[in-house]
Amino acid sequence: MITLFTGYDEEPKDKKKDQEALAAEEESAGKSGVPDDGSSSLGRKSGFFSRMRQAVTRTRETFSTRINDIVALTREVDESSLEELENALIMSDIGVETTNEIIQALRERARKQAIAGGEELRDLLKTQLRGILEAPIRPVATPSAPPKVTFLVGVNGTGKTTTSGKLAAWYRAQNRSVLLCAADTFRAAAIEQLEVWAGRSGVEMIKTRQGGDPAAVLYDAVSAAKARNIAELIVDTAGRLHTKSGLMDELDKMRRTASKLIPGAPHEVLLVMDATTGQNGLQQARQFTQSAGATGIVLTKLDGTAKGGIAVAIARELNLPVRFVGVGEQMGDLLEFSPEAFVDALLG
């Protein structure tokens, strides 16, 4: 039986605190009704950069320190300084292929026109990193009529269900109506976990029993979203490996169900990746992307790793944009990814 979860009779322990935090975020984002003289926009940009900088603290402590040493000691860029930079990039988990591309571009630049010193080398590196991160960015598909359907996919343990709840709160902060769909009927307690996030973010959720048909609950969720003119339908799917043919077939069935009800759906398929797994996670994601038809990446636990350079490797090697990053455990700890802010946070 498909049921509609509309909230708790008793509020979850953290709901009031989370709603107050969400309200504070909305007010700081300029949604308080006070005329904006431009200062709030500057404040939002400054606050966003500050949070991104905090999220990449562990990566910056290692990567930026190495870069600063190279900058301080380099008067004229030569092969030796490029080799030192190459080692620093690889150590930050940018990856061998991506690092080789960056170093080759810098080497070619130095051949055509001498790189004056360490500061110019830093500026050129920032340009290279931003270019790689921006290259796969494409406009997000927008349906002619709501809802926009977003699937969250990936392996177990990456934070899909948590990200679903945080994404619902993020869209609410943009004044968008949201409906959650609990299509992970495979993992024990997944539905209950999403219920908690639905209650915290103040959105409704369509669910069924554990072991139920995910395509059936998706059908009801799409129908409900259309009937209520919901802007965003977020679908939490079961964790799966690309090698599990049964689960991949199930995902294909869900895609067909969505597309029959709404042409072009799902409009986004976000692959949720754990940043702390680094290159190992990238290898798994490369194979998963081909099977699941991912259109973008959500990189979770960015604040918990010293190898945040994996974001650059993802953009280059998967040719997928990083759409969001998870930077903590709270409801508001999901940031829309900005290549410029990310690179500036790493290198200043």
Side-chain angles (χ1 to χ4, degrees):
M1 181 178 68
I2 308 296
T3 56
L4 169 65
F5 172 79
T6 58
Y8 292 95
D9 293 331
E10 281 187 18
E11 293 184 339
K13 181 178 179 182
D14 296 331
K15 182 178 179 183
K16 183 177 180 181
K17 179 173 69 175
D18 285 332
Q19 288 182 329
E20 289 173 350
L22 183 60
E25 287 172 11
E26 292 179 355
E27 183 174 355
S28 69
K31 304 191 188 307
S32 60
V34 179
D36 187 358
D37 61 1
S39 61
S40 62
S41 177
L42 291 173
R44 290 196 300 273
K45 185 173 182 181
S46 174
F48 175 83
F49 177 79
S50 176
R51 296 192 69 194
M52 184 66 77
R53 183 175 175 82
Q54 183 178 6
V56 299
T57 295
R58 293 185 63 184
T59 302
R60 187 176 62 252
E61 286 174 349
T62 54
F63 179 61
S64 188
T65 298
R66 295 188 184 102
I67 299 300
N68 288 339
D69 289 343
I70 296 170
V71 168
L73 297 173
T74 300
R75 297 293 175 264
E76 184 175 340
V77 175
D78 55 16
E79 192 60 32
S80 176
S81 54
L82 288 176
E83 288 179 0
E84 291 180 24
L85 177 59
E86 181 178 16
N87 290 333
L89 293 172
I90 291 174
M91 290 296 290
S92 70
D93 236 27
I94 285 178
V96 174
E97 288 185 21
T98 308
T99 294
N100 286 341
E101 180 180 297
I102 292 171
I103 295 300
Q104 187 57 39
L106 293 173
R107 187 177 285 122
E108 184 66 17
R109 167 64 166 76
R111 186 183 66 81
K112 293 179 179 178
Q113 180 182 344
I115 301 174
E119 288 298 337
E120 185 178 7
L121 179 62
R122 188 209 301 269
D123 290 342
L124 290 170
L125 175 61
K126 289 173 68 174
T127 299
Q128 286 288 318
L129 293 176
R130 279 198 303 268
I132 291 171
L133 289 166
E134 291 169 356
I137 295 176
R138 302 288 185 274
V140 176
T142 304
S144 57
K148 179 167 80 69
V149 181
T150 301
F151 283 9
L152 272 72
V153 302
V155 301
N156 281 325
T158 56
K160 287 188 310 304
T161 301
T162 297
T163 299
S164 297
K166 290 180 179 179
L167 188 59
W170 187 86
Y171 275 122
R172 280 202 62 225
Q174 315 303 311
N175 280 347
R176 305 277 289 175
S177 55
V178 183
L179 181 66
L180 283 167
C181 174
D184 182 357
T185 62
F186 183 76
R187 179 172 65 90
I191 297 171
E192 290 80 0
Q193 183 185 356
L194 193 62
E195 277 183 342
V196 171
W197 280 104
R200 288 176 176 177
S201 55
V203 304
E204 294 183 342
M205 183 184 96
I206 302 294
K207 66 175 183 175
T208 187
R209 70 185 188 284
Q210 184 181 348
D213 182 0
V217 71
L218 174 62
Y219 183 96
D220 276 29
V222 173
S223 300
K226 290 175 68 176
R228 299 169 199 179
N229 202 35
I230 297 290
E232 304 287 340
L233 175 61
I234 300 171
V235 183
D236 179 35
T237 71
R240 66 200 77 215
L241 290 170
H242 69 285
T243 54
K244 299 293 185 181
S245 59
L247 287 174
M248 293 309 297
D249 290 344
E250 178 186 273
L251 185 59
D252 285 338
K253 181 181 176 183
M254 292 174 63
R255 292 172 67 94
R256 292 193 302 272
T257 299
S259 64
K260 285 178 182 178
L261 294 171
I262 301 177
H267 306 99
E268 280 200 278
V269 179
L270 298 179
L271 176 61
V272 182
M273 288 181 58
D274 180 345
T276 65
T277 61
Q279 289 291 318
N280 290 333
L282 181 62
Q283 296 300 324
Q284 193 174 66
R286 181 181 288 108
Q287 297 168 319
F288 196 102
T289 298
Q290 297 170 355
S291 304
T295 60
I297 300 292
V298 179
L299 195 59
T300 63
K301 308 175 190 177
L302 184 62
D303 58 316
T305 180
K307 296 188 175 184
I310 191 64
V312 181
I314 288 167
R316 164 63 178 77
E317 298 186 33
L318 298 183
N319 193 32
L320 288 174
V322 178
R323 288 279 284 117
F324 295 92
V325 290
V327 298
E329 299 298 323
Q330 301 304 312
M331 186 186 298
D333 291 337
L334 185 73
L335 304 180
E336 187 174 23
F337 186 75
S338 162
E340 181 181 6
F342 179 78
V343 173
D344 285 347
L346 277 182
L347 293 173

